[in-house]
Amino acid sequence: MGALAAAIAIGLAALGAGFGNGMIVSKTVEGIARQPELKGSLQGTMFVGVALVEAIPIIAAVIAFMAIFM
């Protein structure tokens, strides 16, 4: 039962991160299309946002492994 819960938690975290990354990148591309002179600034902010969103599935995986093996 713990393995199933861990698998669901990791799957939902990955799904949420994928949706979040898609939203971040799409809004960045939209912003660059509107104001091309801000490309560097927008990309830098995008990379920070993507890195923060990608931390969520990693944390979920660590918590899931802790729940299974402890």
Side-chain angles (χ1 to χ4, degrees):
M1 191 61 113
L4 179 62
I8 291 171
I10 292 174
L12 289 176
L15 183 69
F19 181 74
N21 282 336
M23 293 294 294
I24 290 170
V25 173
S26 72
K27 296 298 179 179
T28 301
V29 169
E30 187 177 313
I32 292 171
R34 290 178 186 222
Q35 295 184 343
E37 66 274 4
L38 295 178
K39 180 181 178 182
S41 174
L42 290 172
Q43 279 185 338
T45 304
M46 178 194 72
F47 289 138
V48 171
V50 166
L52 291 173
V53 169
E54 282 298 321
I56 301 297
I58 294 169
I59 293 169
V62 169
I63 292 173
F65 286 135
M66 287 173 54
I68 290 174
F69 295 117
M70 288 190 167

